[in-house]
């Protein structure tokens, strides 16, 4: 009887941790788009992207140091970490931050939600005998069609074509860069521990972003007070460290198909928070486009592959 009570207590605590981890991933990563949109209005986008990862990577390295972990990585790991940092923390986050000056947070999140669609295409190209199923192919076409519909409707309802088009291209390239980095990461073996590589990846990507900001007049373009800098701190602590920690906990404790729900919950969070916090408009036609995009992502994420599953994460789930 005592053991039954102990098991029941452990089960309740585990369930509570899982619920809190899902809430953290959904809210921290979904609200990150709002924080980016808010901060880049007065802080240079390269600084928003770079300082975020420098803070997060520095904190992670400090924690690892306190735990007694070795922070050294070999030359081969360093080259791989640098390449992945360029893809995921420079190409992706830097372009996302630049687009945040022109596009609403909800629209950014919905375009970035095409990451699973790009991952499905890349998986098909890079893996033999792994061509997309019919349902997955329909999901990919449906998803990109939904993005096109969303952009068209946004222009009709007031966004400038001159500003929307470059920003949308930046986001599409950003989504592709993150998808490519994720696929390559799932196929890369490191000699150093995963968290050590992740910390160095953040620091290298963040340093490159800051250098780009310095080279493009970042100091002159930044004139922020306390609020936007607090948003950058939020991105570092909650959008990066807390979200990542909760995400990796879920990967170890719940089915991967459940973790993949972040791919279509986060955009919903961003759309709602953008409407509530930043007064971003949301019309019926935009709502229909949102449903189309998220339905396509759900279809791609939930459809099994044509070949046997391996140990890597499913399409739409980033394994760091």
């Amino acid at each position: 009887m005592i053991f039954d009570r102990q098991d029941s207590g452990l089960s309740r605590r585990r369930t509570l941790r899982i619920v809190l981890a899902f809430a953290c991933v959904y809210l921290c990563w979904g609200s990150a788009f709002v924080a980016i949109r808010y901060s880049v209005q007065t802080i240079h986008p390269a600084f928003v992207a770079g300082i975020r990862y420098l803070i997060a990577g520095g904190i992670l390295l400090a924690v690892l140091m306190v735990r007694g972990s070795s922070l050294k990585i070999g030359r081969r790991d360093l080259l791989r970490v640098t390449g992945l940092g360029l893809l995921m923390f420079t190409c992706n986050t830097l372009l996302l931050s630049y687009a945040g000056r022109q596009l609403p947070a909800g629209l950014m999140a919905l375009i970035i939600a095409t990451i699973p669609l790009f991952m499905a295409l890349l998986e098909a190209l890079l893996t033999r005998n792994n061509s997309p199923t019919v349902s997955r192919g329909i999901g990919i076409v449906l998803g990109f069609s939904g993005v096109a519909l969303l952009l068209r409707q946004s222009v009709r309802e007031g966004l400038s074509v001159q500003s929307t088009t470059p920003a949308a291209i930046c986001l599409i390239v950003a989504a592709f860069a993150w998808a490519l980095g994720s696929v390559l990461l799932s196929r890369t073996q490191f000699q150093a521990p995963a968290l050590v590589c992740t910390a160095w990846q953040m620091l290298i990507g963040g340093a490159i972003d800051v250098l780009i900001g310095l080279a493009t007049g970042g100091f002159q373009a930044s004139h922020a007070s306390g609020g936007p800098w607090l948003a950058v701190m939020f991105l570092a602590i909650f959008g990066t460290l807390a979200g990542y920690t909760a995400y990796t906990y879920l990967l170890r404790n719940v089915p991967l198909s459940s973790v993949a729900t972040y791919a279509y919950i986060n955009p919903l969070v961003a759309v709602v928070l953008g409407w509530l916090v930043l007064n971003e408009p949301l019309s019926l036609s935009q709502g229909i486009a949102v449903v189309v995009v998220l339905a396509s992502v759900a279809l791609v994420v939930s459809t099994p592959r044509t070949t046997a599953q391996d140990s890597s994460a499913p399409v739409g789930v980033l394994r760091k």
Side-chain angles (χ1 to χ4, degrees):
M1 193 73 176
I2 294 176
F3 290 113
D4 289 342
R5 290 178 181 175
Q6 290 177 341
D7 291 342
S8 176
L10 290 173
S11 177
R12 285 196 296 270
R13 286 195 293 272
R14 180 177 180 273
T15 300
L16 178 61
R17 285 194 292 267
I18 289 173
V19 170
L20 290 175
F22 269 115
C24 186
V25 170
Y26 291 160
L27 294 177
C28 289
W29 283 0
S31 59
F33 293 97
V34 177
I36 291 171
R37 171 69 172 164
Y38 174 66
S39 58
V40 297
Q41 303 307 311
T42 51
I43 302 175
H44 194 280
F47 285 170
V48 172
I51 294 173
R52 164 188 182 179
Y53 286 117
L54 286 177
I55 294 173
I59 293 174
L60 186 53
L61 276 187
V63 170
L64 292 170
M65 186 183 300
V66 170
R67 290 170 51 182
S69 301
S70 173
L71 306 183
K72 295 181 179 179
I73 59 174
R75 182 178 299 178
R76 181 174 297 181
D77 280 353
L78 181 60
L79 290 174
R80 291 171 176 173
V81 162
T82 301
L84 290 169
L86 283 170
L87 275 174
M88 304 176 78
F89 297 150
T90 297
C91 289
N92 172 268
T93 312
L94 187 57
L95 291 175
L96 174 60
S97 298
Y98 272 106
R101 283 194 161 179
Q102 304 297 333
L103 299 180
L107 182 55
M108 285 195 298
L110 288 162
I111 298 177
I112 290 296
T114 59
I115 287 174
L117 311 184
F118 281 118
M119 290 181 70
L121 290 173
L122 289 168
E123 290 277 353
L125 291 173
L126 298 177
T127 306
R128 292 183 178 179
N129 302 320
N130 191 27
S131 58
T133 61
V134 173
S135 57
R136 180 168 289 172
I138 292 173
I140 292 171
V141 174
L142 188 65
F144 287 116
S145 300
V147 169
L149 175 63
L150 187 62
L151 289 172
R152 179 183 178 185
Q153 193 60 38
S154 298
V155 169
R156 282 185 173 181
E157 295 181 4
L159 288 181
S160 168
V161 176
Q162 288 76 15
S163 61
T164 299
T165 302
I169 292 173
C170 283
L171 288 175
I172 292 171
V173 174
F176 177 80
W178 188 272
L180 179 59
S182 300
V183 172
L184 293 177
L185 183 55
S186 69
R187 289 164 167 75
T188 302
Q189 297 295 326
F190 294 100
Q191 298 298 319
L195 281 178
V196 174
C197 291
T198 298
W200 283 113
Q201 184 181 342
M202 289 180 182
L203 287 173
I204 292 171
I208 293 171
D209 292 346
V210 170
L211 288 175
I212 292 173
L214 292 173
T216 55
F219 277 127
Q220 293 81 358
S222 300
H223 46 85
S225 56
W229 287 113
L230 288 176
V232 174
M233 288 297 297
F234 173 87
L235 288 169
I237 296 173
F238 294 99
T240 304
L241 283 177
Y244 171 77
T245 302
Y247 178 73
T248 54
Y249 174 81
L250 291 173
L251 286 179
R252 295 192 301 268
N253 290 277
V254 300
L256 292 173
S257 58
S258 298
V259 183
T261 56
Y262 88 89
Y264 40 92
I265 298 297
N266 287 355
L268 287 177
V269 173
V271 168
V272 172
L273 287 179
W275 175 62
L276 288 174
V277 178
L278 301 178
N279 296 317
E280 295 179 352
L282 180 61
S283 65
L284 177 60
S285 55
Q286 287 176 321
I288 293 173
V290 167
V291 172
V292 171
V293 173
L294 298 185
S296 70
V297 173
L299 182 61
V300 170
V301 169
S302 61
T303 301
R305 301 178 186 179
T306 55
T307 58
Q309 292 280 356
D310 57 18
S311 61
S312 64
V315 171
V317 178
L318 170 64
R319 191 180 73 175
K320 295 188 178 180

